[in-house]
Amino acid sequence: MSTQSCPFARTERSTPNRVPKRVTFERDPVFAIIDEAPIVHVGFAMPNGQPFVIPTIHARKDDRLYFHGSTQSRLLQAIASGQQICCTFTFLDGIVAARSAMHHSMNYRSVVAFGTGQLVEDETERQEAFRRTVEKLIPGRWENCRQPNESEAKVTAIAALDIQEATLKVRNGPVADIESDLSGPHWAGVIPTRLSYDSPQPDSNLANDQTIPDHINNLVGGPSASRH
Amino acid sequence: MSTQSCPFARTERSTPNRVPKRVTFERDPVFAIIDEAPIVHVGFAMPNGQPFVIPTIHARKDDRLYFHGSTQSRLLQAIASGQQICCTFTFLDGIVAARSAMHHSMNYRSVVAFGTGQLVEDETERQEAFRRTVEKLIPGRWENCRQPNESEAKVTAIAALDIQEATLKVRNGPVADIESDLSGPHWAGVIPTRLSYDSPQPDSNLANDQTIPDHINNLVGGPSASRH
């Protein structure tokens, strides 16, 4: 069995204190969430303890996440510094309207991943990270756009973060009211939610006869759009 | 002019290093994002510097955010400790497909708020936080569900966090390709994205003749659903 197919280690920081039945450490379902999530919330702390949480775009290869940006950004600097980083990927899947105020909840899937990073200097890996980032945003896009020239590549920093532990927590399913509330007068149910992609808005500078390409239509009709 | 109508202070931690034109510190647009966002990503650091980013549900009154949960949860403990907290609220509004790989982007609105908190002990304020949390999840729900009894209230901790600074950053609008790419062969445009609410799924234990109430239908057809 390769390391890649083993679950992530269950450590003190990666084990939530609450509702253990909702938790898994298996790599495949963790990676599925990371790959489906269009954005990640990256957490880091300054030396004085001040936390920051910054939303950004990510890409993944095996246990490694890639981030891109300016070397001036706090986020890139924090990852490049090698300090501990927390990356959280969240889907809101539904609003759970229970009969009791107490049992209102949300259906969700969220991955909390811990790791440390560094700047990527190797040009081949940098190119691969650029490609994966564009492909993460829109699968099939890399071969359908003008790829970075030397000066564009030069101004873009790439940082890599190696996931040390990761935890997937899921709440799904119906309302969980207590027995004595079931006969009460209140409506109860789940309102499913999802990130939906609407019709593409072509750029005003496009030639009039340019149709929307397949890779864009696939994004709109893709897995996130048809989840429910 | 009351404090409430003043912008948040522009400090070192609340001023992004990049793209200042996308930033505002005004309270009203900051609060609009906080109130529309169904979830928040809360960041805090352990004494050893280990950062955590946890998604959760929030409610707001003026500059104060409310969080609820178990006193065992790391999140509640961190807020209750009075340490610095970062709360980030993010909407993904679109995928920006530029002709050049370099100018791919996302349309988004995100608020990064800093502050410190404490446990709420006052029973009146706790009740108000319960009410606001349920109303945040589903407007109109509080009067249409079974409100917490004494033992339910007792097991739920409420923490309050007072926002000291907050920053709203927005990217919207069309593709921003460079002139020399405009005549290229590649399609370009924006694919709008939004959080959508689908048809409510009534609980299987409901009486057959119980119709979906207005406050649930309003959520499905509400502002987030009809944004685009």
Side-chain angles (χ1 to χ4, degrees):
Chain A
M1 190 189 254
S2 77
T3 310
Q4 283 307 311
S5 57
C6 294
F8 285 105
R10 189 184 296 237
T11 65
E12 195 277 334
R13 69 176 173 180
S14 76
T15 305
N17 290 346
R18 301 280 304 156
V19 204
K21 69 179 177 182
R22 294 185 183 168
V23 171
T24 180
F25 301 88
E26 298 291 333
R27 268 183 169 76
D28 285 348
V30 162
F31 288 161
I33 296 297
I34 292 176
D35 294 347
E36 185 183 343
I39 61 168
V40 54
H41 283 81
V42 180
F44 53 93
M46 292 299 181
N48 64 1
Q50 174 66 54
F52 284 81
V53 178
I54 307 293
T56 191
I57 304 172
H58 61 287
R60 182 183 72 83
K61 182 184 181 186
D62 302 329
D63 284 4
R64 179 164 277 197
L65 299 173
Y66 289 111
F67 301 91
H68 73 284
S70 158
T71 53
Q72 299 307 304
S73 85
R74 281 194 186 105
L75 175 67
L76 263 281
Q77 289 176 350
I79 300 172
S81 77
Q83 71 188 78
Q84 285 291 336
I85 305 287
C86 179
C87 296
T88 299
F89 311 78
T90 308
F91 286 94
L92 179 59
D93 293 330
I95 309 287
V96 181
R99 294 161 183 84
S100 58
M102 170 84 177
H103 289 95
H104 277 70
S105 188
M106 284 179 163
N107 282 338
Y108 62 87
R109 292 161 291 151
S110 89
V111 165
V112 175
F114 299 104
T116 60
Q118 71 277 333
L119 274 188
V120 177
E121 312 274 7
D122 177 76
E123 203 48 45
T124 306
E125 188 177 4
R126 280 169 43 80
Q127 291 288 344
E128 177 66 5
F130 289 142
R131 189 186 68 77
R132 283 180 185 262
T133 302
V134 171
E135 286 287 300
K136 175 75 177 61
L137 198 62
I138 307 173
R141 187 68 184 165
W142 183 252
E143 296 299 333
N144 285 287
C145 70
R146 202 262 296 153
Q147 295 172 13
N149 59 35
E150 204 171 321
S151 66
E152 286 173 341
K154 200 182 279 181
V155 297
T156 307
I158 297 281
L161 182 144
D162 293 313
I163 301 174
Q164 293 161 339
E165 295 123 68
T167 310
L168 168 59
K169 201 170 174 187
V170 176
R171 198 271 183 215
N172 57 27
V175 168
D177 268 316
I178 57 175
E179 188 72 25
S180 59
D181 281 327
L182 294 185
S183 55
H186 304 299
W187 186 89
V190 174
I191 302 100
T193 58
R194 63 191 161 93
L195 182 70
S196 65
Y197 293 74
D198 291 334
S199 298
Q201 301 171 336
D203 189 55
S204 58
N205 289 310
L206 282 183
N208 283 333
D209 60 349
Q210 201 162 342
T211 56
I212 296 172
D214 285 349
H215 67 281
I216 298 294
N217 281 323
N218 290 345
L219 181 70
V220 176
S224 289
S226 60
R227 173 163 301 278
H228 298 284
Chain B
M1 191 189 254
S2 77
T3 310
Q4 284 307 312
S5 58
C6 293
F8 284 106
R10 188 183 298 235
T11 65
E12 194 277 335
R13 68 175 174 180
S14 77
T15 305
N17 291 344
R18 303 279 303 157
V19 203
K21 70 179 176 182
R22 294 185 184 167
V23 171
T24 180
F25 301 88
E26 298 291 332
R27 268 183 168 74
D28 285 347
V30 162
F31 288 160
I33 296 295
I34 292 175
D35 293 348
E36 186 184 344
I39 60 168
V40 54
H41 282 81
V42 180
F44 53 93
M46 291 300 180
N48 65 1
Q50 175 64 56
F52 284 81
V53 178
I54 308 293
T56 193
I57 304 173
H58 61 286
R60 183 183 70 83
K61 183 184 181 186
D62 302 329
D63 285 3
R64 178 164 278 199
L65 299 174
Y66 290 110
F67 301 90
H68 73 285
S70 157
T71 52
Q72 299 307 304
S73 86
R74 283 195 185 104
L75 176 67
L76 264 278
Q77 288 176 350
I79 299 172
S81 78
Q83 70 188 77
Q84 286 291 337
I85 305 286
C86 179
C87 296
T88 299
F89 311 78
T90 308
F91 287 94
L92 179 59
D93 292 331
I95 310 287
V96 181
R99 293 163 184 83
S100 58
M102 170 84 177
H103 289 94
H104 278 68
S105 188
M106 284 178 162
N107 282 338
Y108 62 87
R109 293 162 291 151
S110 89
V111 165
V112 175
F114 300 104
T116 60
Q118 71 277 332
L119 275 188
V120 177
E121 312 274 7
D122 178 77
E123 204 47 45
T124 306
E125 188 176 5
R126 280 169 43 82
Q127 291 288 344
E128 177 68 4
F130 290 142
R131 189 187 67 79
R132 283 182 185 261
T133 302
V134 171
E135 286 286 301
K136 175 73 176 62
L137 198 62
I138 307 173
R141 187 69 184 163
W142 184 250
E143 296 298 333
N144 286 286
C145 69
R146 201 262 297 153
Q147 295 173 14
N149 59 36
E150 204 169 321
S151 66
E152 287 173 341
K154 200 182 279 182
V155 297
T156 307
I158 296 282
L161 183 145
D162 292 312
I163 301 173
Q164 293 161 340
E165 296 123 67
T167 310
L168 168 60
K169 201 169 172 186
V170 176
R171 198 271 183 215
N172 58 25
V175 168
D177 268 314
I178 57 175
E179 188 73 24
S180 59
D181 281 326
L182 294 185
S183 56
H186 304 299
W187 186 89
V190 174
I191 301 100
T193 58
R194 64 193 160 91
L195 182 70
S196 64
Y197 293 74
D198 291 334
S199 298
Q201 302 171 336
D203 189 54
S204 58
N205 288 310
L206 280 183
N208 283 333
D209 61 347
Q210 201 163 342
T211 57
I212 296 171
D214 285 349
H215 67 281
I216 298 293
N217 282 323
N218 290 344
L219 181 70
V220 176
S224 289
S226 60
R227 173 163 304 279
H228 297 283

